[in-house]
Structure formats: C-alpha cells, structure tokens
Amino acid sequence: MGVRPAGPLSGRTVVVTRAEHQASALTDQLVALGAEVLAVPVIAVAEPVDGGAALREAVGRLEGGDWLVVTSANGVERVVEAAHAVGADLSSVSLAAVGPGTRDAFHGHGLDVALVPDRFVAEGLLAAFPSPPDHGPRRVVLAQADGARPVLREGLVGAGWEVEAVDAYRTVHPPVPADLVARASGADAITFTSASTVRGFVAAAGLGALPPVVVTIGRVTSEQARASGVEVTREADPHSIPGLVAAVVSSLDVP
C-alpha cells in the first residue's frame, strides 16, 4: 500500500457521496492533499423509465443549427450513447454544457462545446444563452435527469426557443451499509455535489451521521441541504470540483 501524501488535509477524513463512477476526480484531488477519503455513494445512475426512447428520438431528429443542451456529465454519456444508437452526428449541432465537468465529458468524446456559462448552474446557462434567430432553426433539445428543475426549460421557452426536454437518466438511491454510516459519522467533513446526494445521504444515514463540516458544490445543493435539515458549513466558489476541494480545505481551518 502506498504512503499517503503529506498535505493540508493530512490526518483528515472526508466523505465523498458521489456516484461510484463519478467519484474519482474529487477523490484524487482530496487524496493529493493528504486526506483519507471515505466513499459513501448514495446515488446511482439508471435508465429513464422509457429506457431512453424519448432521448434517442429527440437526438435522432437534431439538425444543423439546432442546440443540444446537457446539464451533467451523466447526461453527456447518455446523449452520446443515444446518438450512436440512431446514427446521429452531434458535431453538426451547437452544444451547450452547464459547467466544466459537462464540457470535459463532451471533449472526451471529441466534441466541441459552443457554450459554457461563467456560473455553473442552470440560471447561469440561461443568462448566457443566445436569443433565438429571427429566421432559421429555433429548436433546443434539453437532456436532463428525471425530475430536474424546470427553470432552464421554462426560461428557454420564455426566450422564444422551441424546447424539447427529455429525460436522459434517472438518479436512484442505493442502500448504504450500516458500517459505512458509522464510519461517516466519525469523519471530519462530508461533500455534497448535487441535491440528490443530499437527499440520498439523509434518507440512508440520517442527520445524526453527518460529520461536523458539510461542504456543498453550489447554491441548489445548499438549498436542498437546508431544506433537509442539514447545516451547511461552506459552499464552493466556483461551483466546481476544484472549488469544492478548496472549500473543504478552508472549512477544516488548515493553512
């Protein structure tokens, strides 16, 4: 077993609640700063209830000049799978990503992104989105999680775009073993990267299992935390994985 690197988080244990397949970037950055990371995945990604049929149909009808808006890296993977299934060419449409993680997921498939907002939330993307043209394509396909907030769809429709919102995936909450719950309660800090991770942890472990320091990735996650009875120590700024890691360091009062 390798020696844990020295760093500002040496001797600290941080809980990561992301889905297992998404946790590596956050985990790697925390470990590089000396933290011991306790993985407690409280969400998992599943097919939408229609098995992805609506997403495949919407992607298959994309044409040059249309916009495809995706709000998470999970959504990118599902959109790319749908495009392959129906033989669609995503390079012919304008791609918009809610933040750098989503943009990087597109780049991982060799796809350029036309728009990433300065604020990595739906409201930021809406504020940065162009007005529809007077003539020509006005269609936007919006690929989101099942149950996503309606703010982006409603805002784009209000701006004059023809929006087709489709479920790209569902977020589900797997059970958490009792030993992980006990270990989480003894950690120094916990990170939440989405509203669904907050809901999943509280449902699986309860408020009593929360470590003393709670760090969220952004406003929407913080709002869900407070609505669930969770006291937020610090919110990441910027709303990104590096911002979240910096907030953990600051919250634990380490230099």
Side-chain angles (χ1 to χ4, degrees), residues 54-55 58-60 62-71 75-83 88-98 102 106 111-116 125 129 138-144 152 156 161-166 168:
L55 179 63
V59 169
L62 283 168
E63 299 178 351
D66 289 343
W67 279 88
L68 173 60
V69 178
V70 185
T71 58
V76 171
E77 299 309 314
R78 298 295 170 151
V79 161
V80 170
E81 289 174 8
D89 180 12
L90 295 182
S91 66
S92 67
V93 301
S94 297
L95 303 177
V98 75
T102 309
F106 271 125
L111 294 166
D112 293 328
V113 176
L115 176 63
V116 182
L125 183 58
F129 211 79
R138 302 168 67 92
R139 182 165 175 259
V140 175
V141 170
L142 174 59
Q144 297 179 297
L152 193 49
L156 290 171
W161 289 97
E162 299 170 1
V163 180
E164 182 175 2
V166 292

Side-chain angles (χ1 to χ4, degrees), residues 177-206:
D179 65 314
L180 275 184
V181 172
R183 290 173 64 193
S185 66
D188 296 289
I190 187 168
T191 58
F192 290 116
T193 54
S194 65
S196 57
T197 59
V198 175
R199 290 191 294 267
F201 185 87
V202 172

Side-chain angles (χ1 to χ4, degrees), residues 6-254:
L9 295 179
S10 293
R12 305 287 189 148
T13 300
V14 180
V15 179
V16 171
T17 55
R18 299 194 95 186
E20 215 167 347
H21 73 284
Q22 286 186 301
S24 60
L26 176 56
T27 296
D28 290 349
Q29 291 184 40
L30 291 169
V31 168
L33 295 176
E36 178 180 347
V37 172
L38 177 62
V40 185
V42 296
I43 60 171
V45 175
E47 289 279 358
V49 292
D50 68 352
L55 179 63
R56 289 189 294 273
E57 181 179 347
V59 169
R61 289 190 286 107
L62 283 168
E63 299 178 351
D66 289 343
W67 279 88
L68 173 60
V69 178
V70 185
T71 58
S72 70
N74 284 324
V76 171
E77 299 309 314
R78 298 295 170 151
V79 161
V80 170
E81 289 174 8
H84 287 164
V86 298
D89 180 12
L90 295 182
S91 66
S92 67
V93 301
S94 297
L95 303 177
V98 75
T102 309
R103 175 202 61 205
D104 292 347
F106 271 125
H107 287 176
H109 291 282
L111 294 166
D112 293 328
V113 176
L115 176 63
V116 182
D118 292 331
R119 291 187 300 124
F120 310 142
V121 290
E123 289 84 353
L125 183 58
L126 184 59
F129 211 79
S131 299
D134 293 331
H135 306 284
R138 302 168 67 92
R139 182 165 175 259
V140 175
V141 170
L142 174 59
Q144 297 179 297
D146 177 28
R149 295 187 304 141
V151 59
L152 193 49
R153 176 183 58 80
E154 292 175 353
L156 290 171
V157 169
W161 289 97
E162 299 170 1
V163 180
E164 182 175 2
V166 292
D167 293 339
Y169 61 94
R170 285 183 299 129
T171 299
V172 297
H173 300 295
V176 178
D179 65 314
L180 275 184
V181 172
R183 290 173 64 193
S185 66
D188 296 289
I190 187 168
T191 58
F192 290 116
T193 54
S194 65
S196 57
T197 59
V198 175
R199 290 191 294 267
F201 185 87
V202 172
L207 296 175
L210 286 166
V213 169
V214 175
V215 183
T216 67
I217 201 167
R219 180 180 60 81
V220 175
T221 307
S222 296
E223 289 174 353
Q224 179 63 60
R226 296 184 182 105
S228 301
V230 177
E231 184 176 343
V232 176
T233 308
R234 194 176 298 266
E235 182 179 298
D237 184 15
H239 308 321
S240 62
I241 295 302
L244 185 65
V245 172
V248 171
V249 173
S250 298
S251 299
L252 290 175
D253 294 324
V254 292

